[in-house]
Amino acid sequence: MRSNEEWIQIFGSIRHDWLNVLQLIKGNLALGNEERVMAVIQEAVEQTANESRLCSLGMPKTTLLLLEQKWKPTQHPLDIEVDGELFPLTNYDDLLYACFDCFFNNYNEVVDAEESDKTTISFTFFDEKCLIELSYDNDLSESAFHECLADMPPAIKVELLEREGYAITFLLDASQMQE
């Protein structure tokens, strides 16, 4: 259970993020830059819609962890994207929570606090499957990955990708979900 101080910090971060959006809108309105105002509003709407879709996946522990990471005041922004025909991922909540918690703990240890980078977590639903991609700008050791993925059952296909930056993908097959 989170302490009152932790909740205050989380809500303060949310307030701060929304205040930044409002200040961007106000500043661009004052400059007469209506196109930028519309872009800022559209981005805020999309961000809020993605957070809402994340909340509807039936993964309370994972959702709270991801939103808390997103709202933390940090140089390392987290983008969350949720697309497709959603279905509940309730049966995967504990596994994904443990995996993402391990990832963020390891990631926060190796990332320079002054360095600005970005992490994106995408949930893409299709054909009774969910592709989860975690992409980030910094390097983690392979042993850190294996630690985070140790409890994934064989039914979840996990692939580590190297591109510009780094990525982990998970493919969850709803037809193989355990009740």
Side-chain angles (χ1 to χ4, degrees):
M1 187 71 179
R2 296 191 191 314
S3 70
N4 289 342
E5 289 80 17
E6 290 172 312
W7 283 114
I8 289 169
Q9 181 181 7
I10 290 170
F11 291 132
S13 295
I14 295 167
R15 181 209 49 80
H16 179 79
D17 286 351
W18 279 107
L19 185 57
N20 286 344
V21 169
L22 293 173
Q23 288 174 333
L24 278 172
I25 292 169
K26 182 180 175 185
N28 281 289
L29 279 173
L31 294 172
N33 191 350
E34 290 183 34
E35 283 184 29
R36 181 65 183 134
V37 169
M38 294 309 294
V40 169
I41 291 171
Q42 183 61 34
E43 186 178 313
V45 167
E46 289 173 10
Q47 176 182 326
T48 303
N50 279 313
E51 291 171 4
S52 177
R53 288 191 294 271
L54 177 67
C55 290
S56 72
L57 296 179
M59 302 187 307
K61 289 171 63 176
T62 303
T63 297
L64 187 57
L65 174 71
L66 296 180
L67 292 177
E68 183 178 11
Q69 287 293 323
K70 180 177 179 45
W71 295 327
K72 275 185 179 176
T74 178
Q75 290 287 100
H76 316 292
L78 172 62
D79 283 343
I80 300 170
E81 301 169 2
V82 184
D83 296 310
E85 288 279 327
L86 307 183
F87 55 81
L89 298 177
T90 308
N91 294 333
Y92 295 107
D93 191 21
D94 289 334
L95 286 170
L96 291 175
Y97 172 83
C99 181
F100 287 132
D101 187 48
C102 178
F103 169 80
F104 285 116
N105 286 334
N106 286 327
Y107 191 70
N108 291 334
E109 285 179 17
V110 300
V111 171
D112 184 351
E114 300 301 315
E115 190 175 326
S116 181
D117 63 349
K118 183 177 180 180
T119 303
T120 301
I121 300 177
S122 302
F123 294 82
T124 305
F125 291 81
F126 62 98
D127 299 331
E128 292 190 40
K129 293 178 175 63
C130 178
L131 180 69
I132 301 171
E133 183 173 30
L134 170 61
S135 57
Y136 47 94
D137 292 339
N138 277 302
D139 189 14
L140 279 181
S141 71
E142 198 165 320
S143 62
F145 281 125
H146 292 296
E147 175 189 342
C148 297
L149 303 173
D151 293 329
M152 289 293 176
I156 298 177
K157 296 177 185 168
V158 177
E159 186 176 341
L160 294 137
L161 304 175
E162 259 189 73
R163 301 183 293 191
E164 288 183 32
Y166 301 86
I168 307 170
T169 61
F170 306 86
L171 182 61
L172 308 180
D173 189 340
S175 65
Q176 297 182 17
M177 289 177 120
Q178 303 285 322
E179 290 299 323

